[in-house]
Amino acid sequence: MYVDRPNGDDDDDGPFGPPPQQFQQSQIPQPFFTSSFQPPQLRARICACLGNWGLLGLRRQEQFGRDFWFFPTEIRRNSVTGYIWVGGRRQRVRYRYSQIRNFVCFG
């Protein structure tokens, strides 16, 4: 994970509010927790969700857990940049596709 800016408030492309507070387990396709996608598939899934909150699943647990809300804003060849919500504030981060297991859009 790469953190661009600690506060992330300098950008206008990020979310203006927090992610959805709750979601029902039935809203998340069961394969989300067990399936892994390759970078071309991940790019397509994330690209279709630009500017919306989605659930990001990492291959390994990191600082913010393994499955968490992610707001993608920029797709690159080997990574995706966007925002997570930490402590009541948005934080800009970037993940390499090799770190990501799965992504499902809720927007």
Side-chain angles (χ1 to χ4, degrees), residues 48-54 70-72 103 105-107:
C49 198
L50 284 175
N52 291 294
W53 285 106
F70 180 68
F71 189 95
F103 181 81
C105 189
F106 282 88

Side-chain angles (χ1 to χ4, degrees), residues 24-36 101-102 104:
Q24 296 195 10
Q25 193 74 11
S26 61
Q27 290 178 280
I28 302 172
Q30 197 56 31
F32 173 82
F33 298 103
T34 57
S35 298
S36 287
R101 180 186 80 244
N102 204 337
V104 63

Side-chain angles (χ1 to χ4, degrees), residues 32-51:
F32 173 82
F33 298 103
T34 57
S35 298
S36 287
F37 288 89
Q38 297 302 312
Q41 297 164 312
L42 283 170
R43 273 195 300 271
R45 291 181 83 143
I46 296 172
C47 190
C49 198
L50 284 175

Side-chain angles (χ1 to χ4, degrees), residues 6-25:
N7 63 9
D9 289 337
D10 297 337
D11 295 328
D12 291 332
D13 62 348
F16 294 105
Q21 291 296 322
Q22 298 179 11
F23 53 86
Q24 296 195 10
Q25 193 74 11

Side-chain angles (χ1 to χ4, degrees), residues 42-86:
L42 283 170
R43 273 195 300 271
R45 291 181 83 143
I46 296 172
C47 190
C49 198
L50 284 175
N52 291 294
W53 285 106
L55 192 61
L56 182 78
L58 296 177
R59 294 184 187 278
R60 294 188 201 111
Q61 179 134 347
E62 294 193 7
Q63 180 180 1
F64 303 110
R66 186 170 177 184
D67 303 319
F68 50 85
W69 291 107
F70 180 68
F71 189 95
T73 58
E74 185 178 346
I75 304 292
R76 295 188 175 178
R77 182 177 180 177
N78 296 313
S79 65
V80 58
T81 302
Y83 294 87
I84 57 174
W85 200 261
V86 179

